[in-house]
Amino acid sequence: MNILVTGCAGFIGYNLSELILSKNKKYKIYGIDNINNYYDVKLKKSRLKNLNQYENFIFTKIDITNHNKLNKFFLTNKIQVVIHLA
């Protein structure tokens, strides 16, 4: 199953992604985040580095308000579940 987690570098998105990835190898997590400076960007990058250690994690830097990039993302990836954390 392919799962999209928006805000995957944030507190909730990161912890949810890490939990799913550590418990079940059959799920593929597609994480997107715009890596804004709402809070510490270094912390967000550190979280992404941890998630990227999983084979079944794929990160794409996208701002969900950029509808063109978001549409292209959905056209090229087969997402079954969307978890939107904003």
Side-chain angles (χ1 to χ4, degrees):
M1 178 181 301
N2 295 335
I3 302 170
L4 170 64
V5 177
T6 66
C8 66
F11 178 77
I12 297 171
Y14 166 74
N15 283 290
L16 177 64
S17 297
E18 207 279 326
L19 177 69
I20 294 169
L21 291 165
S22 68
K23 298 288 184 195
N24 199 326
K25 304 291 184 210
K26 70 180 181 176
Y27 294 143
K28 184 180 278 188
I29 300 292
Y30 288 85
I32 62 174
D33 202 300
N34 65 355
I35 314 296
N36 64 23
N37 62 355
Y38 182 74
Y39 63 90
D40 190 3
V41 172
K42 284 193 261 183
L43 176 60
K44 292 179 180 186
K45 289 182 178 181
S46 174
R47 290 174 177 162
L48 288 174
K49 185 177 178 182
N50 289 339
L51 292 175
N52 278 317
Q53 293 178 13
Y54 291 94
E55 288 180 14
N56 48 335
F57 178 76
I58 298 169
F59 174 72
T60 305
K61 184 178 179 182
I62 297 178
D63 185 328
I64 61 169
T65 62
N66 186 328
H67 299 288
N68 289 334
K69 280 190 178 181
L70 202 55
N71 284 335
K72 286 180 186 177
F73 177 84
F74 276 103
L75 289 173
T76 57
N77 298 288
K78 294 178 181 175
I79 305 297
Q80 284 99 7
V81 176
V82 175
I83 302 171
H84 175 60
L85 303 164

